[in-house]
Amino acid sequence: MEKKHQRNLGMSMKVERSTLDQVKKRFETNKKKREEKKRQYDFEERMKEVKEDEERLKAYRREKRKAKKKKTEESTSASTEVDSEMAAMMGFGGFGTSKKR
């Protein structure tokens, strides 16, 4: 039944005989595919790489945060001195802001 169906669709029912070179080439390509899958599914190594990347990213963010905090502390300490001097000159305790920098 299946054979007649395929024949009616115009498929050739003859099987081409493979040469030795074609077989060797096929084995080689299959071997490459298998090696790539093995490398792709090397789960433990992949997890280790991901963890290292996360650690590097955390360290980078931590350093960035420290630098930003240091910068803001320097700028606020300088502005606070000026504000307190100005307030003392004007004769009141502060400028009335409740927001801390």
Side-chain angles (χ1 to χ4, degrees), residues 1-49:
M1 186 83 160
E2 180 74 21
K3 191 174 183 179
K4 285 184 180 179
H5 172 72
Q6 287 178 342
R7 186 75 190 120
N8 288 337
L9 289 175
M11 297 177 118
S12 171
M13 300 312 295
K14 294 180 182 177
V15 178
E16 186 180 319
R17 187 146 172 98
S18 299
T19 63
L20 181 63
D21 290 334
Q22 288 173 327
V23 173
K24 284 182 179 179
K25 199 175 253 185
R26 178 64 110 182
F27 272 119
E28 199 173 302
T29 56
N30 287 341
K31 189 175 181 181
K32 284 181 184 177
K33 282 183 185 178
R34 200 174 319 122
E35 286 175 1
E36 193 154 318
K37 278 187 179 181
K38 183 180 177 185
R39 191 175 58 208
Q40 192 176 23
Y41 290 113
D42 194 359
F43 188 72
E44 288 178 17
E45 193 169 317
R46 182 76 179 125
M47 288 303 293
K48 187 187 266 186
E49 288 175 8

Side-chain angles (χ1 to χ4, degrees), residues 71-85:
K71 184 180 175 186
T72 56
E73 283 178 5
E74 289 173 1
S75 66
T76 56
S77 65
S79 65
T80 308
E81 290 174 13
V82 173
D83 289 347
S84 61
E85 290 174 12

Side-chain angles (χ1 to χ4, degrees), residues 37-69:
K37 278 187 179 181
K38 183 180 177 185
R39 191 175 58 208
Q40 192 176 23
Y41 290 113
D42 194 359
F43 188 72
E44 288 178 17
E45 193 169 317
R46 182 76 179 125
M47 288 303 293
K48 187 187 266 186
E49 288 175 8
V50 168
K51 201 168 193 171
E52 288 174 2
D53 287 343
E54 286 176 357
E55 290 297 320
R56 263 187 259 126
L57 188 62
K58 281 182 183 179
Y60 171 73
R61 287 181 178 160
R62 197 176 308 122
E63 290 298 319
K64 201 171 181 181
R65 213 176 300 126
K66 282 183 182 178
K68 187 176 180 183
K69 192 173 184 180

